Amino acid sequence: MDVFIAIVQVLDSTIRLSVPLLLACLAGLYSERAGVFDIGLEGKMLVGAFAGAAAASVFHSAYLGLGMAILISVAFALIHGFASITHRGNQIVSGVAINFIAAGSTIMLGQAWFQQGGRTPALASGERFGAIIWRGADAVRGVPILGPIYSELISGHSVLVYVAFLAVPFTWWVLFRTRFGLRLRAVGENPAAVDTAGISVAWLRYRALICTGVLTGIAGAYLSMVQNGGFVKDMTAGKGYIALAALIFAKWKPVNAMFACLLFGFLDALSIRLQGTPLPLIGKVPVQFMQALPYVLTVILLAGFIGKAIPPRAGGVPYVKER
């Protein structure tokens, strides 16, 4: 039974750690399906995390913090669109610039506003999203097998966790069952055909980037208002890049993206669980190796196990209307 409890705890950590990856991965899915490569997911998550924690600390409201996180992330997404869609700039350069701006501005503003070395004040209980305990979770906690699954894996998460996983079927429905999704996929494959049909390529791509901004804002708010209880310097720690890797691993499909993010979350949870634990035939593994394990396995998975991943044909290429 102790082994089962340990497995449930690792899976619970997997769910919590995969949420920001999943939201960022779905955000990248919208933009890349529309033909806009967005390496700036990391930066938009970071500004969302800072804006959410700062607003929640000042206004003492978790929901105002979430709204501010989404607003600022959408603003950065529109800046990326202005550079790469309106002015047809290089999408990689624009995304990298957003990452640099986010990394520098969050520290500078955090120090200027709160004088805590770039951090925001620790958030009180009303300023962050708490766990939602489902009905009967405490009553069935002692029931073998089903009790821990219901009380730990299903119950006890914040509202943003449920939003993240509900976003997967919603994204599938939007992309594959709505007119907007059909046009979005078409503009990522053949923007000239969409333009010939009288549909604005630029406006479709801007709407995709707005979706990207909303999801990265929620991901950033989750990091600072659920997982950490405040903003700290560079708290995204490369999660935006891992989300891009998960997106490629999932071959730009929302359900596959969920499983890819759960896999990366599991590797992260396992590395945390095994830190300082002696392994059979190996002994105690250095903490630095365990911390690097998820990133190393990400590279291995991308290099050898996904086969040929074909991105949208118009991805990364600015559309120039033929005269």
Side-chain angles (χ1 to χ4, degrees):
M1 192 65 183
D2 291 339
V3 174
F4 179 74
I5 295 297
I7 292 173
V8 169
Q9 290 174 347
V10 170
L11 293 178
D12 180 55
S13 297
T14 297
I15 292 172
R16 298 176 192 273
L17 292 170
S18 66
V19 167
L21 297 178
L22 177 57
L23 288 166
C25 189
L26 293 176
L29 179 64
Y30 278 99
S31 63
E32 295 200 16
R33 279 286 192 170
V36 181
F37 188 77
D38 196 354
I39 204 171
L41 296 175
E42 178 87 0
K44 287 191 279 290
M45 288 174 66
L46 193 60
V47 295
F50 174 76
S57 177
V58 171
F59 298 109
H60 309 294
S61 170
Y63 287 97
L64 280 177
L66 175 62
M68 187 60 68
I70 292 173
L71 182 65
I72 298 300
S73 294
V74 168
F76 270 70
L78 293 176
I79 291 171
H80 179 52
F82 183 71
S84 60
I85 299 173
T86 302
H87 290 281
R88 304 185 184 93
N90 187 292
Q91 296 173 5
I92 302 294
V93 173
S94 174
V96 171
I98 284 175
N99 289 341
F100 282 137
I101 292 170
S105 62
T106 50
I107 298 171
M108 181 184 67
L109 292 174
Q111 176 61 24
W113 292 347
F114 303 108
Q115 289 83 42
Q116 295 187 14
R119 300 190 302 270
T120 61
L123 299 179
S125 58
E127 299 168 353
R128 56 185 299 187
F129 292 97
I132 298 175
I133 306 300
W134 288 31
R135 181 176 297 180
D138 293 329
V140 301
R141 191 177 297 274
V143 177
I145 300 178
L146 293 179
I149 291 175
Y150 181 73
S151 60
E152 297 289 339
L153 290 184
I154 300 175
S155 176
H157 299 288
S158 77
V159 64
L160 299 186
V161 174
Y162 302 110
V163 167
F165 284 96
L166 287 174
V168 176
F170 178 76
T171 297
W172 178 88
W173 176 76
V174 168
L175 287 178
F176 299 103
R177 289 294 183 270
T178 66
R179 180 180 298 177
F180 170 70
L182 174 64
R183 292 175 174 177
L184 193 73
R185 288 182 288 123
V187 82
E189 295 290 339
N190 192 344
V194 175
D195 192 23
T196 302
I199 301 168
S200 173
V201 172
W203 175 227
L204 265 174
R205 288 183 168 177
Y206 267 112
R207 282 190 282 175
L209 286 178
I210 291 171
C211 296
T212 298
V214 170
L215 290 170
T216 49
I218 298 173
Y222 177 84
L223 288 173
S224 62
M225 299 170 63
V226 177
Q227 205 170 72
N228 198 64
F231 177 83
V232 296
K233 175 185 174 183
D234 296 330
M235 69 184 308
T236 47
K239 288 181 175 61
Y241 301 113
I242 294 181
L244 280 176
L247 184 59
I248 298 169
F249 185 63
K251 299 183 178 179
W252 295 270
K253 296 177 181 177
V255 177
N256 292 359
M258 179 186 70
F259 288 115
C261 292
L262 284 172
L263 174 61
F264 294 141
F266 173 74
L267 296 175
D268 201 4
L270 193 63
S271 70
I272 294 171
R273 181 78 179 184
L274 295 179
Q275 284 182 17
T277 303
L279 300 179
L281 304 177
I282 299 176
K284 197 170 183 178
V285 180
V287 173
Q288 293 81 359
F289 175 81
M290 298 307 299
Q291 290 174 338
L293 185 62
Y295 302 95
V296 173
L297 292 177
T298 297
V299 174
I300 293 173
L301 287 171
L302 286 176
F305 292 95
I306 65 168
K308 188 176 182 181
I310 303 174
R313 284 185 295 174
V317 181
Y319 176 64
V320 180
K321 188 174 182 178
E322 296 181 2
R323 296 184 180 276

